[in-house]
Amino acid sequence: MKKMKTSLLFVVCIVMTIMSCNDEDDSQGINSTPEFISFVDAISSLPGETLTFEAGISDPAGIKSINIKYESWFLDKTIFKDSLPDVYELAYDFIVPDDAEMNSVHTIVITAYNVGGNQITKNVVVTLDKDVTNPTIQIVSPTNQSTVLIGDGNEIVLDITVSDAELAEFKIESSVLNETKAISGETYNYIRALDISTLGNYEFAITVTDASGNIRTETISVNVLDELLFEVMYITDVTSNAALNDDLFGVPYSTIASTASTEDGYVFTGKYYSSTPNSEVRFIPQQTAFEPYSFGADPNAMGELILGNDASVSPIVVPGVGYYEITMDLRDQSYVVEPYVPIDTAFDQVYVLGRGVYLDATSSTCVDNSDGSTRCWHFLSGKPFIPDSNNPYLWTIDVTAQDQPDDNGANGFILNANPEGWGPFWRVDANDPSVTIPNAGANYVFDDSSLNKDYTFVFDTHLNRLVVKNR
């Protein structure tokens, strides 16, 4: 028995010696060092955003492991490769901590090891300054949906200014003009006059790209006609171009165009609530300016329109307090103002629901009114409008639009009239958010550029009209 034990021990010792020698041979016989054949050494990111560490690493002996380390972000990730590839493509996602400081710079160490333990190290510099803001486009002329008369030339004058921290490309596309220009700097102004020889509607798509790849596109259309007739018409009680544009949407008010064969393009009717006696309104066929055409009342002829080219045109006077239909007819240059009494039932209360809509520092449409829990887009979190003292159909509320923290999804809203259920509710027309659609429509979603701003909502349940004004 003693002899058998001695023999077994001898065999074990021989096997362990051989294995030890092989391990030493594997390590001592490897003279190669891993090599980065590609490497992203600079990354621009933001707090809370996912970034990707990317590299191509090669070694003929085989890649054993890759370590990514940065103690300040508690990052110490080792990726082991049992298959020992001679080429490894690293693509590791990492979420930057939410509390990381904007514009701060961080150096992350990436180390690759081969099967023999030989290593190579490189640094990735992460700067938290990523540009995620789209360029801005300011169209001085032409006014969107405007009408111009065909003449001796230069019917359409394009005057467009674009801005960004670092611009890269300007593009304009249409049936009469297609141009792409490489641009740079913070501001670029594009001016061009077009000689139009054919009547029709001309649409221009303006696209601007910045150096970070952010894109913004605006589309405008212009009618070139040989007489004054229009596809759209608006009615407004403001008196300046600035006031026409100082809202998120809803100003000026849209009208209904007649579709009768002899009235199409000539006859428009607007419904209007006059909150004071002798309100003054004007018709304009372009949404953002009183130029080039504005229509008011001829002060010397009752019921007759007068054509102006700015906000100084004499207004149409709405005599009393209440709802009116105001119709204009370009065929005989006339207008009619008629009062009426709504017959639809007013609501006891209306509410705003959604995400990112705040009434104050703590109360938002994501806070359940009963228990304080988080319930975005829910009737239990709806916040009440304030009723108008003189009009049971009219409601207002002051809010701030913000990016809702700790909750993924769109920042936006719908309206309803029931704190205990979904209906009745209103969403908006996707093409014109000032038009609210009872029990249908689309959720309104704030563009990122509309966040962190204060607004006043004015909601008329009779007119199904929503105005969102900056305040």
Side-chain angles (χ1 to χ4, degrees):
M1 180 66 69
K2 183 176 182 181
K3 184 176 181 181
M4 287 181 63
K5 288 182 178 181
T6 301
S7 299
L8 180 60
L9 179 61
F10 178 73
V11 171
V12 170
C13 288
I14 291 175
V15 171
M16 291 181 65
T17 300
I18 292 172
M19 292 177 63
S20 175
C21 290
N22 286 341
D23 287 344
E24 290 179 6
D25 288 345
D26 286 344
S27 176
Q28 293 176 359
I30 295 174
N31 297 319
S32 62
T33 300
E35 178 182 358
F36 285 100
I37 53 178
S38 63
F39 191 77
V40 177
D41 60 1
I43 300 175
S44 179
S45 190
L46 291 173
E49 185 170 277
T50 299
L51 58 82
T52 303
F53 297 107
E54 297 179 89
I57 309 163
S58 69
D59 192 300
I63 303 297
K64 180 65 176 178
S65 64
I66 301 94
N67 178 260
I68 307 169
K69 189 170 185 178
Y70 185 54
E71 293 181 355
S72 296
W73 287 349
F74 303 100
L75 172 59
D76 191 357
K77 173 67 176 180
T78 299
I79 302 169
F80 292 98
K81 302 302 296 179
D82 294 333
S83 58
L84 304 180
D86 56 5
V87 175
Y88 176 68
E89 296 292 337
L90 172 68
Y92 179 71
D93 292 338
F94 176 76
I95 300 175
V96 178
D98 290 329
D99 59 357
E101 186 177 340
M102 281 290 296
N103 297 313
S104 57
V105 180
H106 308 266
T107 301
I108 286 77
V109 179
I110 297 182
T111 305
Y113 299 85
N114 69 8
V115 69
N118 299 326
Q119 67 184 63
I120 187 172
T121 297
K122 279 213 170 194
N123 294 335
V124 179
V125 176
V126 176
T127 306
L128 301 185
D129 64 349
K130 185 176 179 179
D131 178 10
V132 294
T133 303
N134 292 331
T136 61
I137 301 175
Q138 180 185 11
I139 302 172
V140 178
S141 70
T143 301
N144 187 32
Q145 297 180 332
S146 60
T147 295
V148 298
L149 295 178
I150 200 163
D152 296 329
N154 295 346
E155 285 81 5
I156 298 176
V157 177
L158 297 160
D159 186 350
I160 304 163
T161 298
V162 298
S163 303
D164 192 81
E166 181 57 43
L167 295 164
E169 184 181 85
F170 175 89
K171 180 188 295 185
I172 185 165
E173 299 171 288
S174 72
S175 61
V176 292
L177 173 66
N178 289 281
E179 191 170 2
T180 301
K181 300 173 72 71
I183 58 177
S184 61
E186 297 181 358
T187 303
Y188 172 73
N189 180 232
Y190 180 86
I191 297 179
R192 181 159 181 176
L194 300 178
D195 183 0
I196 306 298
S197 58
T198 303
L199 302 178
N201 180 269
Y202 294 87
E203 186 172 276
F204 299 86
I206 300 104
T207 303
V208 185
T209 307
D210 68 14
S212 298
N214 301 305
I215 297 174
R216 184 178 294 277
T217 297
E218 298 282 351
T219 301
I220 57 173
S221 64
V222 182
N223 287 309
V224 179
L225 304 173
D226 56 3
E227 64 174 322
L228 287 180
L229 73 159
F230 303 92
E231 290 187 359
V232 296
M233 187 68 65
Y234 301 92
I235 191 169
T236 185
D237 51 13
V238 303
T239 56
S240 69
N241 288 349
L244 285 176
N245 294 278
D246 191 24
D247 68 309
L248 187 59
F249 58 79
V251 178
Y253 307 132
S254 57
T255 67
I256 298 174
S258 174
T259 57
S261 60
T262 60
E263 297 179 351
D264 188 14
Y266 298 99
V267 179
F268 300 88
T269 300
K271 288 189 174 183
Y272 177 74
Y273 173 70
S274 175
S275 60
T276 62
N278 299 317
S279 298
E280 297 181 349
V281 299
R282 296 167 176 85
F283 284 98
I284 52 175
Q286 54 283 322
Q287 192 171 16
T288 60
F290 284 92
E291 299 81 25
Y293 304 112
S294 54
F295 296 91
D298 187 336
N300 301 313
M302 179 66 68
E304 292 190 12
L305 285 175
I306 189 171
L307 172 63
N309 57 12
D310 56 33
S312 67
V313 66
S314 296
I316 296 171
V317 176
V318 182
V321 174
Y323 286 95
Y324 287 81
E325 279 193 351
I326 308 171
T327 300
M328 65 175 294
D329 190 336
L330 292 173
R331 295 172 303 175
D332 59 5
Q333 297 294 305
S334 66
Y335 71 90
V336 177
V337 178
E338 293 185 343
Y340 72 95
V341 178
I343 61 173
D344 50 307
T345 302
F347 294 92
D348 294 333
Q349 183 65 58
V350 296
Y351 304 85
V352 58
L353 327 173
R355 177 186 284 111
V357 180
Y358 282 76
L359 272 68
D360 50 52
T362 58
S363 178
S364 85
T365 53
C366 281
V367 177
D368 187 300
N369 297 317
S370 59
D371 60 17
S373 62
T374 299
R375 285 186 181 229
C376 301
W377 297 103
H378 201 281
F379 57 84
L380 290 177
S381 303
K383 299 301 182 281
F385 278 71
I386 298 171
D388 185 89
S389 58
N390 299 312
N391 183 351
Y393 301 101
L394 195 61
W395 304 83
T396 62
I397 189 172
D398 289 339
V399 305
T400 300
Q402 300 179 12
D403 185 17
Q404 187 73 36
D406 304 320
D407 191 89
N408 295 323
N411 297 291
F413 64 86
I414 67 172
L415 311 171
N416 91 335
N418 186 356
E420 299 178 351
W422 291 113
F425 68 84
W426 297 262
R427 290 187 170 96
V428 302
D429 186 317
N431 298 313
D432 182 358
S434 70
V435 177
T436 58
I437 303 176
N439 302 313
N443 295 348
Y444 181 82
V445 175
F446 289 104
D447 184 80
D448 287 348
S449 63
S450 301
L451 298 177
N452 302 313
K453 295 180 181 178
D454 299 324
Y455 300 102
T456 296
F457 287 20
V458 182
F459 180 35
D460 191 315
T461 62
H462 165 64
L463 297 178
N464 282 310
R465 175 183 292 156
L466 178 64
V467 178
V468 177
K469 299 179 179 179
N470 290 287
R471 61 179 174 89

mmCIF file of all heavy atoms in Angstrom, residues 362-399:
data_model
loop_
_atom_site.group_PDB
_atom_site.id
_atom_site.type_symbol
_atom_site.label_atom_id
_atom_site.label_comp_id
_atom_site.label_asym_id
_atom_site.label_seq_id
_atom_site.Cartn_x
_atom_site.Cartn_y
_atom_site.Cartn_z
ATOM 1 N N THR A 362 -43.404 72.728 -7.540
ATOM 2 C CA THR A 362 -43.594 71.334 -7.136
ATOM 3 C C THR A 362 -44.792 70.665 -7.783
ATOM 4 O O THR A 362 -44.847 69.448 -7.862
ATOM 5 C CB THR A 362 -43.764 71.240 -5.610
ATOM 6 O OG1 THR A 362 -44.887 72.052 -5.223
ATOM 7 C CG2 THR A 362 -42.512 71.743 -4.898
ATOM 8 N N SER A 363 -45.767 71.430 -8.216
ATOM 9 C CA SER A 363 -47.004 70.844 -8.730
ATOM 10 C C SER A 363 -46.939 70.717 -10.242
ATOM 11 O O SER A 363 -46.763 71.703 -10.954
ATOM 12 C CB SER A 363 -48.201 71.717 -8.338
ATOM 13 O OG SER A 363 -49.394 71.183 -8.862
ATOM 14 N N SER A 364 -47.082 69.501 -10.741
ATOM 15 C CA SER A 364 -47.046 69.285 -12.186
ATOM 16 C C SER A 364 -48.134 68.304 -12.569
ATOM 17 O O SER A 364 -48.779 67.682 -11.717
ATOM 18 C CB SER A 364 -45.680 68.754 -12.637
ATOM 19 O OG SER A 364 -45.608 67.348 -12.495
ATOM 20 N N THR A 365 -48.344 68.150 -13.859
ATOM 21 C CA THR A 365 -49.331 67.200 -14.356
ATOM 22 C C THR A 365 -48.825 65.764 -14.270
ATOM 23 O O THR A 365 -49.435 64.860 -14.841
ATOM 24 C CB THR A 365 -49.715 67.536 -15.808
ATOM 25 O OG1 THR A 365 -48.524 67.630 -16.601
ATOM 26 C CG2 THR A 365 -50.469 68.849 -15.879
ATOM 27 N N CYS A 366 -47.725 65.552 -13.579
ATOM 28 C CA CYS A 366 -47.266 64.195 -13.279
ATOM 29 C C CYS A 366 -47.473 63.846 -11.799
ATOM 30 O O CYS A 366 -47.065 62.777 -11.357
ATOM 31 C CB CYS A 366 -45.788 64.034 -13.640
ATOM 32 S SG CYS A 366 -45.486 63.775 -15.401
ATOM 33 N N VAL A 367 -48.090 64.743 -11.025
ATOM 34 C CA VAL A 367 -48.306 64.509 -9.591
ATOM 35 C C VAL A 367 -49.779 64.178 -9.346
ATOM 36 O O VAL A 367 -50.660 64.996 -9.618
ATOM 37 C CB VAL A 367 -47.885 65.737 -8.762
ATOM 38 C CG1 VAL A 367 -48.176 65.501 -7.279
ATOM 39 C CG2 VAL A 367 -46.410 66.042 -8.958
ATOM 40 N N ASP A 368 -50.036 62.966 -8.838
ATOM 41 C CA ASP A 368 -51.395 62.543 -8.511
ATOM 42 C C ASP A 368 -51.981 63.476 -7.453
ATOM 43 O O ASP A 368 -51.352 63.741 -6.426
ATOM 44 C CB ASP A 368 -51.363 61.096 -7.997
ATOM 45 C CG ASP A 368 -52.745 60.516 -7.790
ATOM 46 O OD1 ASP A 368 -53.503 61.074 -6.982
ATOM 47 O OD2 ASP A 368 -53.067 59.490 -8.413
ATOM 48 N N ASN A 369 -53.188 63.974 -7.706
ATOM 49 C CA ASN A 369 -53.793 64.951 -6.794
ATOM 50 C C ASN A 369 -54.190 64.357 -5.448
ATOM 51 O O ASN A 369 -54.332 65.092 -4.468
ATOM 52 C CB ASN A 369 -55.035 65.570 -7.452
ATOM 53 C CG ASN A 369 -54.680 66.349 -8.704
ATOM 54 O OD1 ASN A 369 -53.705 67.089 -8.737
ATOM 55 N ND2 ASN A 369 -55.480 66.181 -9.755
ATOM 56 N N SER A 370 -54.353 63.035 -5.374
ATOM 57 C CA SER A 370 -54.824 62.426 -4.136
ATOM 58 C C SER A 370 -53.706 61.931 -3.240
ATOM 59 O O SER A 370 -53.767 62.086 -2.021
ATOM 60 C CB SER A 370 -55.781 61.269 -4.452
ATOM 61 O OG SER A 370 -55.126 60.293 -5.250
ATOM 62 N N ASP A 371 -52.664 61.327 -3.825
ATOM 63 C CA ASP A 371 -51.630 60.737 -2.970
ATOM 64 C C ASP A 371 -50.212 61.207 -3.283
ATOM 65 O O ASP A 371 -49.252 60.761 -2.654
ATOM 66 C CB ASP A 371 -51.685 59.208 -3.045
ATOM 67 C CG ASP A 371 -51.455 58.670 -4.469
ATOM 68 O OD1 ASP A 371 -50.944 59.417 -5.321
ATOM 69 O OD2 ASP A 371 -51.791 57.495 -4.706
ATOM 70 N N GLY A 372 -50.051 62.096 -4.265
ATOM 71 C CA GLY A 372 -48.719 62.640 -4.560
ATOM 72 C C GLY A 372 -47.823 61.724 -5.353
ATOM 73 O O GLY A 372 -46.656 62.063 -5.589
ATOM 74 N N SER A 373 -48.322 60.576 -5.779
ATOM 75 C CA SER A 373 -47.500 59.663 -6.577
ATOM 76 C C SER A 373 -47.323 60.219 -7.986
ATOM 77 O O SER A 373 -47.957 61.200 -8.377
ATOM 78 C CB SER A 373 -48.155 58.282 -6.634
ATOM 79 O OG SER A 373 -49.423 58.363 -7.274
ATOM 80 N N THR A 374 -46.451 59.581 -8.756
ATOM 81 C CA THR A 374 -46.170 60.039 -10.118
ATOM 82 C C THR A 374 -47.110 59.360 -11.104
ATOM 83 O O THR A 374 -47.106 58.134 -11.235
ATOM 84 C CB THR A 374 -44.709 59.748 -10.498
ATOM 85 O OG1 THR A 374 -43.853 60.456 -9.606
ATOM 86 C CG2 THR A 374 -44.423 60.198 -11.931
ATOM 87 N N ARG A 375 -47.931 60.170 -11.790
ATOM 88 C CA ARG A 375 -48.845 59.651 -12.810
ATOM 89 C C ARG A 375 -48.914 60.670 -13.941
ATOM 90 O O ARG A 375 -49.764 61.553 -13.933
ATOM 91 C CB ARG A 375 -50.251 59.420 -12.248
ATOM 92 C CG ARG A 375 -50.394 58.197 -11.367
ATOM 93 C CD ARG A 375 -51.854 58.018 -10.997
ATOM 94 N NE ARG A 375 -52.043 56.858 -10.136
ATOM 95 C CZ ARG A 375 -52.953 55.928 -10.346
ATOM 96 N NH1 ARG A 375 -53.737 56.009 -11.404
ATOM 97 N NH2 ARG A 375 -53.099 54.922 -9.525
ATOM 98 N N CYS A 376 -47.996 60.560 -14.881
ATOM 99 C CA CYS A 376 -48.025 61.459 -16.037
ATOM 100 C C CYS A 376 -49.117 61.012 -17.005
ATOM 101 O O CYS A 376 -49.449 59.825 -17.079
ATOM 102 C CB CYS A 376 -46.669 61.461 -16.740
ATOM 103 S SG CYS A 376 -45.278 61.971 -15.700
ATOM 104 N N TRP A 377 -49.663 61.976 -17.751
ATOM 105 C CA TRP A 377 -50.710 61.702 -18.739
ATOM 106 C C TRP A 377 -51.901 60.976 -18.096
ATOM 107 O O TRP A 377 -52.461 60.043 -18.666
ATOM 108 C CB TRP A 377 -50.177 60.871 -19.901
ATOM 109 C CG TRP A 377 -49.123 61.522 -20.715
ATOM 110 C CD1 TRP A 377 -47.786 61.282 -20.686
ATOM 111 C CD2 TRP A 377 -49.301 62.552 -21.709
ATOM 112 N NE1 TRP A 377 -47.123 62.079 -21.590
ATOM 113 C CE2 TRP A 377 -48.030 62.867 -22.233
ATOM 114 C CE3 TRP A 377 -50.417 63.221 -22.206
ATOM 115 C CZ2 TRP A 377 -47.841 63.825 -23.219
ATOM 116 C CZ3 TRP A 377 -50.228 64.176 -23.189
ATOM 117 C CH2 TRP A 377 -48.955 64.471 -23.693
ATOM 118 N N HIS A 378 -52.314 61.401 -16.904
ATOM 119 C CA HIS A 378 -53.403 60.708 -16.221
ATOM 120 C C HIS A 378 -54.391 61.724 -15.665
ATOM 121 O O HIS A 378 -54.001 62.772 -15.154
ATOM 122 C CB HIS A 378 -52.856 59.837 -15.085
ATOM 123 C CG HIS A 378 -53.782 58.749 -14.666
ATOM 124 N ND1 HIS A 378 -54.863 58.964 -13.834
ATOM 125 C CD2 HIS A 378 -53.811 57.430 -14.979
ATOM 126 C CE1 HIS A 378 -55.510 57.825 -13.644
ATOM 127 N NE2 HIS A 378 -54.897 56.874 -14.329
ATOM 128 N N PHE A 379 -55.691 61.379 -15.770
ATOM 129 C CA PHE A 379 -56.726 62.315 -15.317
ATOM 130 C C PHE A 379 -56.633 62.584 -13.815
ATOM 131 O O PHE A 379 -57.040 63.651 -13.343
ATOM 132 C CB PHE A 379 -58.119 61.793 -15.682
ATOM 133 C CG PHE A 379 -58.457 60.431 -15.137
ATOM 134 C CD1 PHE A 379 -58.946 60.279 -13.851
ATOM 135 C CD2 PHE A 379 -58.304 59.297 -15.924
ATOM 136 C CE1 PHE A 379 -59.269 59.033 -13.357
ATOM 137 C CE2 PHE A 379 -58.620 58.037 -15.430
ATOM 138 C CZ PHE A 379 -59.105 57.901 -14.140
ATOM 139 N N LEU A 380 -56.089 61.654 -13.018
ATOM 140 C CA LEU A 380 -55.951 61.884 -11.582
ATOM 141 C C LEU A 380 -54.902 62.945 -11.263
ATOM 142 O O LEU A 380 -54.850 63.452 -10.145
ATOM 143 C CB LEU A 380 -55.590 60.575 -10.875
ATOM 144 C CG LEU A 380 -56.701 59.522 -10.808
ATOM 145 C CD1 LEU A 380 -56.191 58.246 -10.160
ATOM 146 C CD2 LEU A 380 -57.922 60.064 -10.052
ATOM 147 N N SER A 381 -54.065 63.289 -12.260
ATOM 148 C CA SER A 381 -53.046 64.318 -12.067
ATOM 149 C C SER A 381 -53.394 65.610 -12.802
ATOM 150 O O SER A 381 -52.566 66.520 -12.859
ATOM 151 C CB SER A 381 -51.679 63.802 -12.547
ATOM 152 O OG SER A 381 -51.314 62.623 -11.874
ATOM 153 N N GLY A 382 -54.597 65.689 -13.381
ATOM 154 C CA GLY A 382 -54.976 66.884 -14.122
ATOM 155 C C GLY A 382 -55.033 68.117 -13.236
ATOM 156 O O GLY A 382 -55.464 68.061 -12.079
ATOM 157 N N LYS A 383 -54.596 69.245 -13.778
ATOM 158 C CA LYS A 383 -54.592 70.497 -13.021
ATOM 159 C C LYS A 383 -55.647 71.439 -13.609
ATOM 160 O O LYS A 383 -55.764 71.577 -14.830
ATOM 161 C CB LYS A 383 -53.207 71.129 -13.067
ATOM 162 C CG LYS A 383 -52.118 70.242 -12.444
ATOM 163 C CD LYS A 383 -52.431 69.918 -10.980
ATOM 164 C CE LYS A 383 -51.355 69.070 -10.304
ATOM 165 N NZ LYS A 383 -51.433 67.656 -10.648
ATOM 166 N N PRO A 384 -56.421 72.109 -12.736
ATOM 167 C CA PRO A 384 -57.589 72.856 -13.197
ATOM 168 C C PRO A 384 -57.270 74.214 -13.805
ATOM 169 O O PRO A 384 -56.398 74.943 -13.316
ATOM 170 C CB PRO A 384 -58.410 73.026 -11.910
ATOM 171 C CG PRO A 384 -57.378 73.034 -10.813
ATOM 172 C CD PRO A 384 -56.303 72.076 -11.268
ATOM 173 N N PHE A 385 -57.989 74.558 -14.852
ATOM 174 C CA PHE A 385 -57.978 75.904 -15.416
ATOM 175 C C PHE A 385 -58.783 76.837 -14.502
ATOM 176 O O PHE A 385 -59.596 76.398 -13.686
ATOM 177 C CB PHE A 385 -58.624 75.908 -16.806
ATOM 178 C CG PHE A 385 -57.734 75.472 -17.937
ATOM 179 C CD1 PHE A 385 -57.355 74.140 -18.076
ATOM 180 C CD2 PHE A 385 -57.299 76.380 -18.880
ATOM 181 C CE1 PHE A 385 -56.558 73.730 -19.128
ATOM 182 C CE2 PHE A 385 -56.507 75.984 -19.949
ATOM 183 C CZ PHE A 385 -56.128 74.658 -20.065
ATOM 184 N N ILE A 386 -58.606 78.130 -14.705
ATOM 185 C CA ILE A 386 -59.380 79.142 -13.988
ATOM 186 C C ILE A 386 -60.502 79.628 -14.911
ATOM 187 O O ILE A 386 -60.231 80.033 -16.049
ATOM 188 C CB ILE A 386 -58.491 80.326 -13.572
ATOM 189 C CG1 ILE A 386 -57.392 79.845 -12.627
ATOM 190 C CG2 ILE A 386 -59.317 81.434 -12.930
ATOM 191 C CD1 ILE A 386 -56.338 80.888 -12.344
ATOM 192 N N PRO A 387 -61.764 79.605 -14.443
ATOM 193 C CA PRO A 387 -62.866 80.031 -15.308
ATOM 194 C C PRO A 387 -62.895 81.550 -15.472
ATOM 195 O O PRO A 387 -62.544 82.298 -14.567
ATOM 196 C CB PRO A 387 -64.106 79.538 -14.560
ATOM 197 C CG PRO A 387 -63.690 79.492 -13.126
ATOM 198 C CD PRO A 387 -62.235 79.114 -13.130
ATOM 199 N N ASP A 388 -63.336 81.992 -16.640
ATOM 200 C CA ASP A 388 -63.527 83.416 -16.874
ATOM 201 C C ASP A 388 -64.793 83.862 -16.152
ATOM 202 O O ASP A 388 -65.817 83.164 -16.165
ATOM 203 C CB ASP A 388 -63.646 83.680 -18.372
ATOM 204 C CG ASP A 388 -63.719 85.156 -18.701
ATOM 205 O OD1 ASP A 388 -62.657 85.768 -18.897
ATOM 206 O OD2 ASP A 388 -64.855 85.693 -18.767
ATOM 207 N N SER A 389 -64.750 85.024 -15.536
ATOM 208 C CA SER A 389 -65.887 85.478 -14.735
ATOM 209 C C SER A 389 -67.089 85.870 -15.589
ATOM 210 O O SER A 389 -68.216 85.926 -15.085
ATOM 211 C CB SER A 389 -65.469 86.653 -13.852
ATOM 212 O OG SER A 389 -64.968 87.724 -14.646
ATOM 213 N N ASN A 390 -66.857 86.135 -16.887
ATOM 214 C CA ASN A 390 -67.944 86.608 -17.751
ATOM 215 C C ASN A 390 -68.356 85.617 -18.827
ATOM 216 O O ASN A 390 -69.406 85.792 -19.447
ATOM 217 C CB ASN A 390 -67.544 87.926 -18.429
ATOM 218 C CG ASN A 390 -67.277 89.031 -17.430
ATOM 219 O OD1 ASN A 390 -68.066 89.255 -16.520
ATOM 220 N ND2 ASN A 390 -66.145 89.704 -17.578
ATOM 221 N N ASN A 391 -67.530 84.592 -19.057
ATOM 222 C CA ASN A 391 -67.794 83.670 -20.162
ATOM 223 C C ASN A 391 -67.613 82.232 -19.678
ATOM 224 O O ASN A 391 -66.495 81.806 -19.383
ATOM 225 C CB ASN A 391 -66.831 83.960 -21.323
ATOM 226 C CG ASN A 391 -67.092 83.091 -22.532
ATOM 227 O OD1 ASN A 391 -67.879 82.151 -22.494
ATOM 228 N ND2 ASN A 391 -66.410 83.384 -23.635
ATOM 229 N N PRO A 392 -68.698 81.440 -19.598
ATOM 230 C CA PRO A 392 -68.593 80.071 -19.074
ATOM 231 C C PRO A 392 -67.835 79.119 -19.996
ATOM 232 O O PRO A 392 -67.510 78.003 -19.593
ATOM 233 C CB PRO A 392 -70.055 79.642 -18.933
ATOM 234 C CG PRO A 392 -70.786 80.454 -19.952
ATOM 235 C CD PRO A 392 -70.083 81.777 -19.975
ATOM 236 N N TYR A 393 -67.551 79.547 -21.229
ATOM 237 C CA TYR A 393 -66.819 78.704 -22.171
ATOM 238 C C TYR A 393 -65.314 78.993 -22.160
ATOM 239 O O TYR A 393 -64.551 78.284 -22.820
ATOM 240 C CB TYR A 393 -67.331 78.921 -23.595
ATOM 241 C CG TYR A 393 -68.792 78.623 -23.777
ATOM 242 C CD1 TYR A 393 -69.726 79.663 -23.812
ATOM 243 C CD2 TYR A 393 -69.253 77.316 -23.917
ATOM 244 C CE1 TYR A 393 -71.078 79.399 -23.987
ATOM 245 C CE2 TYR A 393 -70.597 77.046 -24.091
ATOM 246 C CZ TYR A 393 -71.513 78.091 -24.114
ATOM 247 O OH TYR A 393 -72.854 77.826 -24.283
ATOM 248 N N LEU A 394 -64.897 80.005 -21.437
ATOM 249 C CA LEU A 394 -63.519 80.487 -21.535
ATOM 250 C C LEU A 394 -62.742 80.170 -20.266
ATOM 251 O O LEU A 394 -63.202 80.448 -19.147
ATOM 252 C CB LEU A 394 -63.518 82.000 -21.783
ATOM 253 C CG LEU A 394 -62.205 82.619 -22.272
ATOM 254 C CD1 LEU A 394 -61.790 82.031 -23.619
ATOM 255 C CD2 LEU A 394 -62.353 84.138 -22.383
ATOM 256 N N TRP A 395 -61.514 79.616 -20.460
ATOM 257 C CA TRP A 395 -60.693 79.155 -19.339
ATOM 258 C C TRP A 395 -59.236 79.556 -19.563
ATOM 259 O O TRP A 395 -58.776 79.590 -20.705
ATOM 260 C CB TRP A 395 -60.777 77.629 -19.214
ATOM 261 C CG TRP A 395 -62.168 77.106 -19.077
ATOM 262 C CD1 TRP A 395 -63.059 76.862 -20.080
ATOM 263 C CD2 TRP A 395 -62.826 76.777 -17.862
ATOM 264 N NE1 TRP A 395 -64.242 76.388 -19.570
ATOM 265 C CE2 TRP A 395 -64.136 76.329 -18.201
ATOM 266 C CE3 TRP A 395 -62.454 76.803 -16.518
ATOM 267 C CZ2 TRP A 395 -65.053 75.919 -17.247
ATOM 268 C CZ3 TRP A 395 -63.374 76.398 -15.566
ATOM 269 C CH2 TRP A 395 -64.653 75.964 -15.926
ATOM 270 N N THR A 396 -58.525 79.839 -18.465
ATOM 271 C CA THR A 396 -57.098 80.169 -18.563
ATOM 272 C C THR A 396 -56.305 79.449 -17.478
ATOM 273 O O THR A 396 -56.862 79.090 -16.422
ATOM 274 C CB THR A 396 -56.848 81.691 -18.429
ATOM 275 O OG1 THR A 396 -57.284 82.126 -17.129
ATOM 276 C CG2 THR A 396 -57.563 82.476 -19.512
ATOM 277 N N ILE A 397 -55.022 79.257 -17.742
ATOM 278 C CA ILE A 397 -54.111 78.699 -16.744
ATOM 279 C C ILE A 397 -52.695 79.112 -17.100
ATOM 280 O O ILE A 397 -52.329 79.158 -18.282
ATOM 281 C CB ILE A 397 -54.240 77.150 -16.668
ATOM 282 C CG1 ILE A 397 -53.455 76.592 -15.478
ATOM 283 C CG2 ILE A 397 -53.781 76.493 -17.959
ATOM 284 C CD1 ILE A 397 -53.713 75.102 -15.235
ATOM 285 N N ASP A 398 -51.910 79.468 -16.081
ATOM 286 C CA ASP A 398 -50.498 79.802 -16.264
ATOM 287 C C ASP A 398 -49.650 78.576 -15.943
ATOM 288 O O ASP A 398 -49.814 77.961 -14.874
ATOM 289 C CB ASP A 398 -50.080 80.955 -15.345
ATOM 290 C CG ASP A 398 -50.670 82.288 -15.782
ATOM 291 O OD1 ASP A 398 -51.050 82.405 -16.960
ATOM 292 O OD2 ASP A 398 -50.757 83.200 -14.935
ATOM 293 N N VAL A 399 -48.742 78.215 -16.846
ATOM 294 C CA VAL A 399 -47.907 77.030 -16.651
ATOM 295 C C VAL A 399 -46.477 77.325 -17.078
ATOM 296 O O VAL A 399 -46.196 78.328 -17.739
ATOM 297 C CB VAL A 399 -48.431 75.811 -17.449
ATOM 298 C CG1 VAL A 399 -49.881 75.516 -17.104
ATOM 299 C CG2 VAL A 399 -48.268 76.033 -18.943
#
